[in-house]
Amino acid sequence: MADTQQQSEGKKPKQPQGAPRGGKDGGATKGQEAKGGEPKVKKPRERSDYVARLKTHYEQVIRGELSKKFGYTNRMQVPTITKIVLNMGIGEGVADRKKVDNAAGDLSLIAGQKAVITKSRKSIATYKLRDGQAIGCKVTLRKARMYDFLDRLVNIALPRVRDFRGLNPKSFDGRGNYSLGIKEYTVFPEIDFDKVTDTWGLDITVCTSARSDDEARALLTAFNFPFRQ
C-alpha cells in the first residue's frame, strides 16, 4: 500500500490539450519574462535614398542612346540588366568541406550578399561524389547591389586581370545573356591576398531583357564593357 501511494504521489497530472505552455502559471516563458514579458517585434526596414551610380547613368544617358540607335517608340522596350549571377565551383570540396565554406565566405565579401552553397544532385562513383554533397556556391544580385558589383567589375577587377586583352564579344547565348569567366577571384579588392590559401575561378552571368545579342552587346558596351575588337 505504501508503494502504491508513493507512485501515485510521484505522478504529475497531465496537462490538458490546448493549454498554453510556459511558466508555472501558464504564462510567458523565461525568455519573455527576462525581457519584460513582451514578445519580439521586428522593426521595419528603413528605406535609404541611395541610388547606384550606374543606374543613374542608365536612366539619364544610356536609355536615350539606345532608343535613338534601335528606334524604340516606348521607353519600356529599351533593354535593361535584370540580374547578375556569380557561380564558383569547388571540385576539391568533395574531400574537404572547409574549402567550400571558405569560398562561400569570400564570395559573400565580393558580392556584398550572403552566398548559397550548392549541392550535387546525383551520385557519381568515379569522382567519389555523393548525392547532396557541397560542391560550390553562388549568389544572385539584383537592383542596387547588381549595379555596384558591375561598377567594381568593369572599373577595378577586370583591369587587374593578368594579361587582359578584352572580353570575348561572342559569349552571348542568343537570348541577350552574357557570360564571362575569371581565373582568379583574388582580383577583387575585397579579398585579402595574404589570407587566401586556395584560388578558384569565378563565373559571371549578366542577364538582360534584350531580345537579341546585338541589343545586349550595345547595352553592355554602353556600360563600358571592354569587348575585344
Side-chain angles (χ1 to χ4, degrees):
M1 294 295 292
D3 295 338
T4 55
Q5 288 179 359
Q6 290 178 358
Q7 291 178 0
S8 60
E9 290 176 357
K11 293 183 179 179
K12 296 182 180 179
K14 293 183 179 180
Q15 192 175 10
Q17 295 181 356
R21 296 181 179 181
K24 296 180 180 179
D25 300 333
T29 59
K30 293 181 180 180
Q32 293 178 348
E33 290 176 357
K35 298 180 181 180
E38 297 180 358
K40 293 183 180 179
V41 178
K42 291 185 178 180
K43 296 181 180 179
R45 292 184 178 179
E46 297 181 359
R47 293 185 178 180
S48 62
D49 298 332
Y50 172 74
V51 180
R53 185 180 69 86
L54 288 185
K55 184 177 182 181
T56 304
H57 179 66
Y58 172 80
E59 295 292 342
Q60 297 178 355
V61 180
I62 298 177
R63 189 186 288 272
E65 292 179 354
L66 294 179
S67 297
K68 293 179 181 179
K69 183 176 182 179
F70 294 97
Y72 298 122
T73 57
N74 189 344
R75 67 189 305 271
M76 300 303 294
Q77 290 179 303
V78 182
T80 61
I81 298 177
T82 56
K83 64 181 179 179
I84 296 178
V85 181
L86 311 179
N87 181 37
M88 189 182 295
I90 313 299
E92 300 174 1
V94 176
D96 190 358
R97 172 60 188 269
K98 291 183 179 180
K99 293 186 177 181
V100 179
D101 296 335
N102 294 336
D106 292 341
L107 186 59
S108 301
L109 291 176
I110 294 173
Q113 180 176 314
K114 186 177 181 181
V116 178
I117 295 178
T118 55
K119 298 180 180 180
S120 60
R121 297 183 180 179
K122 61 180 180 180
S123 301
I124 302 177
T126 307
Y127 300 104
K128 298 180 181 180
L129 183 66
R130 297 190 303 271
D131 183 17
Q133 194 169 7
I135 55 175
C137 52
K138 67 176 182 178
V139 172
T140 302
L141 301 176
R142 292 182 174 88
K143 299 183 179 180
R145 291 178 181 173
M146 173 187 70
Y147 285 107
D148 288 339
F149 173 80
L150 194 66
D151 195 356
R152 288 182 285 112
L153 173 67
V154 174
N155 298 318
I156 300 177
L158 291 181
R160 297 178 64 183
V161 176
R162 186 180 305 174
D163 298 333
F164 182 70
R165 298 181 180 179
L167 299 175
N168 186 4
K170 298 181 180 180
S171 296
F172 290 89
D173 63 347
R175 299 180 181 179
N177 303 321
Y178 182 76
S179 299
L180 62 101
I182 297 178
K183 293 183 179 180
E184 296 180 358
Y185 72 98
T186 54
V187 296
F188 287 92
E190 292 83 4
I191 303 301
D192 188 358
F193 188 79
D194 296 333
K195 297 181 180 179
V196 174
T197 56
D198 300 306
T199 57
W200 297 287
L202 178 64
D203 297 327
I204 303 173
T205 302
V206 182
C207 302
T208 69
S209 60
R211 292 173 293 181
S212 64
D213 291 345
D214 294 334
E215 295 178 359
R217 190 178 295 107
L219 174 64
L220 298 184
T221 303
F223 278 106
N224 296 326
F225 266 63
F227 288 114
R228 189 166 54 244
Q229 300 297 330

